[in-house]
Amino acid sequence: MPPRPRMLAAAIAAALALGAQAVPAVAADGAADGAAGGATTTSRGVEIPAFYTPPSELPGADGTLIRSEPLPLALSLPGIDGPLPGRATRLMYKSTDANGEAVAVTGAYIEPAAKWRGDGPRPLVAVAPGTMGQGDQCAASMALEHPLRLNGQTVSVGYEDLSVYRLLLRGVAVVVTDYVGLGTTDRLHTYVNRVDGAHAVLDAVRAARSLDQASVTSASRVGLFGYSQGGGATAAAAELQPSYAPDVELAGTYAGAPPADLTEVTKAIDGSDLAGALGWSLNGFLQTEPALRPIAERYVNEAGEKALKDLSTMCVGDALFGYGGKSSKEWTRTGQSLSDIIRAEPALQDFLAKQRIGALRPAGPVRVATGTGDDLVPHGQARRLAVDWCDKGGKVTYVPVVLPGVGSGLLNHFAPLLADQGNAISWLTDRLSGKAAGSNCWSMPVQP
């Protein structure tokens, strides 16, 4: 096995041990409004249950539960009061995308078996998953049932299950969002879209609170937890909560390695182990803003078109093996990189400027963590988010995770996730117990 695939395989194994004009898959004929038990679709050899096909009409209110069904957890043990670590329910709920259009989003709610021993009623944490991919089979709710998929056509790893289970063991109820278009078969996933991600996270809280079998209510404290793509989604949710979901008061938000500045992130991931994320980003941009398509058609060559279409059904494992180390210059007619094209096209610059996180003051206390050696989702732009929020009067706990670089952008990015996750969960649990959060904004001038 060549060095790169061997290294990536080791990273996947470690994660498991710890716990284009792209188009979405076309819904199978006869999927009656996506009713559970109806027709299924297929993505890279994986059957997508009919549950994930949205109905033709959606409810009006954001966060309204469209449907639910029991979700068997892959890692579950029998217990006196029910299965351990909890009982899971698959969800579909209504949200609103960045264009103001109604959209169905899927996810999962897990009622923990453990008692909540903190102050107040049982709290709820919305987990925003890190990068899973763009194929519907990559959805985090499916990964709770199938943590590892290896069928010769796709490699999907449910690494986010670790954070979910750690929260459940503390007696915290968890709702996981699949994001807009991931899992649901009617559209493409809008990867790292600031508004779509924030709305999906906040509406997941609303949907969970409306479940009959959920012990959480509107009186339950709410926290947000996310790393990488998830860190960007929770950071954006903390900014947009006052205007979009004033009924979802936030006790605390953890935003780990947030991709706050996509212009900087684009430079960093080009040619990296996770270069495939460039394709997911561009696919998502074109889904949200079709006016950008003429620019893409002007620059993207045949190889690029093929890559975008291919990546649109890939999970993160597929992209690591299939596109790790690729340069975006290989996908353009001019030989320019995607970053070069962004600098040359004001429309792209404007679009990415609207995706920037840090322009608004976050609601409630926030904890921003970033690996000082992270060169995949660059440390500097994540630290900048903390500074921006501090300047706006946010209550910010900034945590630089200092680890030695290992020569792999992928591992430099994920090592801080594992090293800091326990501390992040403890910080969030304190907020859910009603303990006041401090702020170390005063120390930012001397923080790495």
Side-chain angles (χ1 to χ4, degrees):
M1 183 182 290
R4 182 179 297 277
R6 183 163 52 243
M7 177 186 66
L8 298 179
I12 290 173
L16 283 174
L18 290 161
Q21 182 166 341
V23 294
V26 178
D29 293 339
D33 273 359
T40 60
T41 63
T42 302
S43 180
R44 289 190 176 264
V46 177
E47 284 194 354
I48 309 300
F51 182 96
Y52 289 84
T53 299
S56 56
E57 294 186 10
L58 300 178
D62 291 319
T64 298
L65 190 65
I66 298 171
R67 66 171 69 109
S68 64
E69 68 176 19
L71 172 63
L73 295 175
L75 303 176
S76 183
L77 296 172
I80 297 176
D81 298 321
L84 302 172
R87 194 180 302 276
T89 303
R90 204 185 316 265
L91 309 176
M92 180 182 284
Y93 57 93
K94 188 262 181 181
S95 190
T96 297
D97 69 13
N99 293 323
E101 299 295 327
V103 61
V105 180
T106 54
Y109 171 80
I110 308 97
E111 178 76 20
K115 292 182 179 179
W116 167 243
R117 302 188 183 282
D119 180 62
R122 186 191 299 278
L124 174 66
V125 167
V127 171
T131 296
M132 306 301 290
Q134 205 158 42
D136 287 328
Q137 78 279 12
C138 318
S141 63
M142 295 187 201
L144 288 166
E145 184 177 3
H146 303 286
L148 176 64
R149 290 190 191 270
L150 291 169
N151 66 355
Q153 298 183 56
T154 191
V155 180
S156 177
V157 181
Y159 62 87
E160 203 63 71
D161 294 2
L162 177 61
S163 62
V164 171
Y165 276 58
R166 293 179 80 162
L167 287 162
L168 293 173
L169 291 174
R170 291 177 179 242
V172 176
V174 175
V175 64
V176 182
T177 181
D178 290 333
Y179 298 124
V180 174
L182 191 58
T184 47
T185 58
D186 62 332
R187 61 169 63 198
L188 193 67
H189 171 43
T190 46
Y191 180 68
V192 297
N193 182 289
R194 178 179 67 91
V195 175
D196 282 11
H199 288 184
V201 168
L202 294 168
D203 286 327
V205 172
R206 289 164 159 164
R209 294 195 303 204
S210 70
L211 268 176
D212 290 339
Q213 57 267 47
S215 61
V216 297
T217 68
S218 58
S220 299
R221 293 189 179 99
V222 174
L224 307 181
F225 186 97
Y227 188 89
S228 193
Q229 180 186 0
T234 57
E239 289 191 344
L240 296 181
Q241 179 271 328
S243 60
Y244 181 75
D247 55 307
V248 182
E249 185 176 350
L250 300 178
T253 296
Y254 163 65
D261 185 341
L262 295 185
T263 301
E264 292 300 316
V265 176
T266 296
K267 295 177 189 176
I269 64 177
D270 202 343
S272 74
D273 297 328
L274 200 58
L278 291 175
W280 296 331
S281 300
L282 184 53
N283 284 336
F285 297 164
L286 298 178
Q287 169 89 5
T288 298
E289 186 51 80
L292 297 177
R293 196 169 297 282
I295 298 176
E297 292 173 349
R298 190 161 68 248
Y299 284 101
V300 178
N301 62 20
E302 185 177 352
E305 291 173 359
K306 181 180 178 181
L308 293 178
K309 184 176 181 180
D310 195 25
L311 283 159
S312 72
T313 59
M314 281 188 166
C315 297
V316 65
D318 309 323
L320 291 174
F321 286 105
Y323 291 92
K326 291 288 186 180
S327 168
S328 62
K329 293 179 179 180
E330 301 174 35
W331 299 343
T332 64
R333 302 178 193 276
T334 61
Q336 293 171 279
S337 68
L338 182 54
S339 292
D340 292 335
I341 294 170
I342 289 170
R343 284 192 293 269
E345 295 290 342
L348 285 175
Q349 295 170 26
D350 291 343
F351 181 85
L352 291 178
K354 292 176 182 176
Q355 297 298 322
R356 179 75 180 266
I357 305 170
L360 301 172
R361 177 179 174 174
V366 293
R367 184 181 190 272
V368 178
T370 166
T372 57
D374 191 342
D375 49 2
L376 194 68
V377 178
H379 164 70
Q381 59 86 45
R383 183 187 185 281
R384 179 74 242 175
L385 173 63
V387 172
D388 289 343
W389 277 350
C390 285
D391 289 345
K392 291 174 175 58
K395 185 172 287 187
V396 181
T397 298
Y398 169 73
V399 181
V401 183
V402 182
L403 295 172
V406 294
S408 163
L410 181 67
L411 296 181
N412 287 340
H413 177 57
F414 277 101
L417 163 66
L418 299 177
D420 183 57
Q421 190 174 81
N423 291 332
I425 289 175
S426 293
W427 178 90
L428 191 55
T429 302
D430 284 344
R431 307 291 78 74
L432 298 173
S433 293
K435 297 179 181 178
S439 171
N440 63 352
C441 283
W442 61 269
S443 69
M444 289 307 300
V446 297
Q447 290 278 15

